[in-house]
Amino acid sequence: MNEHDERGTTMTGVDPSRLDDQQLMKELETIHRTRHDTLLHGSNDALRTHNDRMAQLEGEYLRRHPRRPVSTGRTREGARDRECGESTTPRT
């Protein structure tokens, strides 16, 4: 395995393009699960490495699934609709 990617930074883990779909999903689940701890308690180097790896994995997922389903509530318009609905709902 090549230890460096095109930018010259150290590569951590298997190149995401070499993972099958199941392996990629498992890597994504793991990195998202460990994100909070790394943010709160990791060194600056650990956080930087985590950021780089997450970007690699998420980029590969998006490359493979450019037309992934998007929940309406996760768009700006959906958020605005929620806000409008909340403001007209009486508070108790």
Side-chain angles (χ1 to χ4, degrees):
M1 178 173 76
N2 186 358
E3 292 183 26
H4 295 85
D5 68 12
E6 304 81 45
R7 297 175 305 241
T9 58
T10 301
M11 182 74 147
T12 304
V14 175
D15 182 340
S17 67
R18 300 176 114 188
L19 300 171
D20 65 30
D21 286 344
Q22 186 176 2
Q23 292 168 322
L24 179 61
M25 289 307 295
K26 184 173 180 163
E27 290 283 323
L28 282 165
E29 289 168 4
T30 299
I31 203 158
H32 285 119
R33 188 175 57 250
T34 60
R35 179 65 183 168
H36 192 72
D37 259 0
T38 305
L39 176 63
L40 295 180
H41 307 293
S43 67
N44 288 341
D45 285 342
L47 185 57
R48 192 174 7 265
T49 300
H50 204 272
N51 288 342
D52 291 345
R53 183 63 174 169
M54 187 168 8
Q56 293 167 357
L57 294 167
E58 289 177 348
E60 180 62 20
Y61 179 85
L62 293 173
R63 185 190 69 75
R64 293 182 192 188
H65 304 282
R67 298 181 186 268
R68 71 193 193 291
V70 176
S71 171
T72 315
R74 301 296 296 181
T75 64
R76 287 183 183 175
E77 186 176 334
R80 283 189 212 110
D81 288 346
R82 259 194 332 267
E83 287 174 8
C84 290
E86 290 172 356
S87 64
T88 60
T89 304
R91 295 181 186 213
T92 54

